[in-house]
Coordinates of all heavy atoms in Angstrom, one line a residue:
I249 N 92.3 63.7 100.4 CA 92.7 62.6 101.4 C 93.3 63.2 102.6 O 92.9 62.9 103.7 CB 93.7 61.7 100.7 CG1 93.1 61.1 99.4 CG2 94.2 60.6 101.6 CD1 94.0 60.3 98.5
G250 N 94.3 64.1 102.5 CA 94.9 64.7 103.7 C 95.9 65.8 103.3 O 96.0 66.2 102.2
G251 N 96.6 66.3 104.4 CA 97.6 67.3 104.2 C 98.8 67.1 105.1 O 98.8 66.2 105.9
R252 N 99.8 68.0 105.0 CA 100.9 67.9 105.8 C 101.6 69.2 106.0 O 101.5 70.1 105.1 CB 102.0 66.9 105.3 CG 102.7 67.3 104.0 CD 103.9 66.5 103.7 NE 104.6 67.0 102.6 CZ 105.8 66.5 102.2 NH1 106.4 65.6 102.9 NH2 106.4 67.0 101.2
H253 N 102.1 69.5 107.2 CA 102.8 70.7 107.5 C 102.0 71.9 107.2 O 102.5 72.9 106.6 CB 104.2 70.7 106.8 CG 105.1 69.7 107.2 ND1 105.8 69.7 108.4 CD2 105.5 68.5 106.6 CE1 106.6 68.6 108.5 NE2 106.4 67.9 107.4
L254 N 100.7 71.9 107.6 CA 99.9 73.1 107.5 C 100.1 74.0 108.7 O 99.6 73.6 109.8 CB 98.4 72.7 107.3 CG 98.1 71.6 106.3 CD1 96.7 71.3 106.2 CD2 98.7 72.1 104.9
R255 N 100.7 75.1 108.6 CA 101.1 75.9 109.8 C 100.8 77.3 109.5 O 100.8 77.8 108.3 CB 102.6 75.7 110.1 CG 103.5 76.0 109.0 CD 104.9 75.7 109.4 NE 105.9 76.0 108.4 CZ 106.2 75.3 107.3 NH1 105.5 74.2 107.0 NH2 107.1 75.8 106.4
K256 N 100.6 78.1 110.6 CA 100.5 79.5 110.5 C 101.8 80.2 110.8 O 102.8 79.6 111.2 CB 99.4 80.0 111.4 CG 99.5 79.6 112.9 CD 98.3 80.0 113.7 CE 98.4 79.6 115.1 NZ 97.2 79.9 115.9
A257 N 101.8 81.5 110.6 CA 103.0 82.3 110.8 C 103.6 82.2 112.2 O 104.8 82.0 112.4 CB 102.8 83.8 110.3
G258 N 102.7 82.4 113.2 CA 103.2 82.3 114.5 C 103.1 80.9 115.1 O 102.9 79.9 114.4
R259 N 103.4 80.8 116.4 CA 103.4 79.5 117.1 C 101.9 79.2 117.4 O 101.0 80.0 117.4 CB 104.1 79.6 118.4 CG 105.6 79.7 118.2 CD 106.3 79.6 119.5 NE 107.8 79.5 119.4 CZ 108.6 79.3 120.4 NH1 108.1 79.1 121.6 NH2 109.9 79.2 120.2
G260 N 101.7 77.9 117.7 CA 100.4 77.4 118.0 C 99.9 76.4 117.1 O 100.3 76.3 115.9
L261 N 98.9 75.6 117.5 CA 98.2 74.6 116.7 C 97.1 75.3 115.8 O 96.6 76.4 116.2 CB 97.6 73.6 117.6 CG 98.5 72.8 118.5 CD1 97.7 71.8 119.4 CD2 99.6 72.0 117.7
I262 N 96.8 74.7 114.7 CA 95.8 75.2 113.9 C 94.7 74.1 113.7 O 95.0 72.9 113.9 CB 96.3 75.6 112.5 CG1 96.7 74.4 111.7 CG2 97.4 76.6 112.6 CD1 97.0 74.8 110.2
S263 N 93.5 74.5 113.3 CA 92.4 73.6 113.0 C 92.0 73.8 111.6 O 91.2 74.7 111.3 CB 91.2 73.9 114.0 OG 91.6 73.7 115.3
P264 N 92.7 73.1 110.7 CA 92.5 73.4 109.2 C 91.2 72.8 108.6 O 90.7 71.8 109.1 CB 93.7 72.7 108.6 CG 94.0 71.6 109.5 CD 93.6 72.0 110.9
F265 N 90.7 73.5 107.6 CA 89.7 72.9 106.7 C 90.1 73.4 105.3 O 90.8 74.4 105.1 CB 88.3 73.3 107.1 CG 88.0 74.8 107.0 CD1 87.5 75.3 105.8 CD2 88.2 75.6 108.1 CE1 87.3 76.7 105.7 CE2 87.9 77.0 108.0 CZ 87.5 77.5 106.8
I266 N 89.6 72.6 104.3 CA 90.0 72.9 102.9 C 88.8 73.4 102.1 O 87.6 72.8 102.3 CB 90.5 71.6 102.2 CG1 91.6 70.9 103.1 CG2 91.1 71.9 100.9 CD1 92.8 71.8 103.4
E267 N 89.0 74.4 101.3 CA 87.9 74.8 100.4 C 88.4 74.6 99.0 O 89.5 74.9 98.6 CB 87.7 76.3 100.5 CG 87.1 76.7 101.9 CD 86.9 78.2 102.0 OE1 87.5 79.0 101.2 OE2 86.1 78.6 102.9
V268 N 87.5 73.9 98.2 CA 87.8 73.6 96.8 C 86.8 74.3 95.9 O 85.6 74.2 96.2 CB 87.8 72.1 96.5 CG1 88.2 71.8 95.0 CG2 88.7 71.4 97.5
E269 N 87.2 75.1 94.9 CA 86.3 75.8 94.1 C 86.7 75.8 92.6 O 87.9 75.7 92.4 CB 86.1 77.3 94.6 CG 87.3 78.1 94.5 CD 87.0 79.6 94.8 OE1 85.8 80.0 94.5 OE2 87.9 80.3 95.3
I270 N 85.8 75.9 91.8 CA 86.0 76.1 90.3 C 85.8 77.5 89.9 O 84.7 78.1 90.3 CB 85.1 75.1 89.5 CG1 85.4 73.7 89.9 CG2 85.3 75.3 88.0 CD1 86.8 73.2 89.6
V271 N 86.7 78.1 89.3 CA 86.6 79.5 88.8 C 86.8 79.5 87.3 O 87.7 78.9 86.8 CB 87.7 80.4 89.5 CG1 87.5 81.8 89.1 CG2 87.7 80.2 91.0
G272 N 85.9 80.2 86.7 CA 86.0 80.3 85.2 C 84.9 81.2 84.6 O 84.7 82.3 85.1
A273 N 84.2 80.7 83.6 CA 83.1 81.4 83.0 C 82.0 81.6 84.1 O 81.9 80.8 85.1 CB 82.5 80.7 81.8
E274 N 81.1 82.5 83.8 CA 80.0 82.8 84.8 C 79.2 81.5 85.1 O 78.8 81.3 86.3 CB 79.1 83.9 84.3 CG 78.1 84.4 85.3 CD 77.2 85.5 84.7 OE1 77.5 86.0 83.6 OE2 76.3 85.9 85.4
Y275 N 78.9 80.7 84.1 CA 78.1 79.5 84.4 C 78.9 78.4 85.0 O 78.3 77.4 85.3 CB 77.5 79.1 83.0 CG 78.4 79.1 81.9 CD1 79.4 78.1 81.6 CD2 78.3 80.2 81.0 CE1 80.2 78.2 80.6 CE2 79.2 80.2 79.9 CZ 80.1 79.2 79.7 OH 81.0 79.3 78.6
D276 N 80.2 78.5 85.2 CA 81.0 77.5 85.9 C 81.5 77.9 87.2 O 82.2 77.1 87.9 CB 82.2 77.1 85.0 CG 81.7 76.2 83.8 OD1 80.7 75.5 84.0 OD2 82.4 76.2 82.8
S277 N 81.3 79.2 87.6 CA 82.0 79.7 88.8 C 81.2 79.6 90.1 O 81.5 80.3 91.1 CB 82.3 81.2 88.5 OG 83.3 81.3 87.5
R278 N 80.1 78.9 90.1 CA 79.3 78.8 91.4 C 79.6 77.5 92.1 O 78.9 77.2 93.1 CB 77.8 78.9 91.0 CG 77.4 80.1 90.3 CD 75.9 80.2 90.1 NE 75.4 81.3 89.3 CZ 75.2 81.2 88.0 NH1 75.3 80.0 87.4 NH2 74.8 82.2 87.3
N279 N 80.6 76.7 91.7 CA 80.9 75.5 92.3 C 81.9 75.7 93.4 O 83.0 76.1 93.2 CB 81.4 74.4 91.3 CG 80.3 74.1 90.3 OD1 79.1 74.2 90.5 ND2 80.8 73.8 89.1

Side-chain angles (χ1 to χ4, degrees):
I249 301 172
R252 67 167 185 170
H253 296 283
L254 309 180
R255 59 186 182 277
K256 55 186 176 181
R259 288 187 174 184
L261 300 175
I262 70 169
S263 300
F265 65 89
I266 313 298
E267 293 177 343
V268 184
E269 65 173 330
I270 300 297
V271 184
E274 184 179 356
Y275 41 80
D276 284 333
S277 295
R278 302 186 185 96
N279 297 331

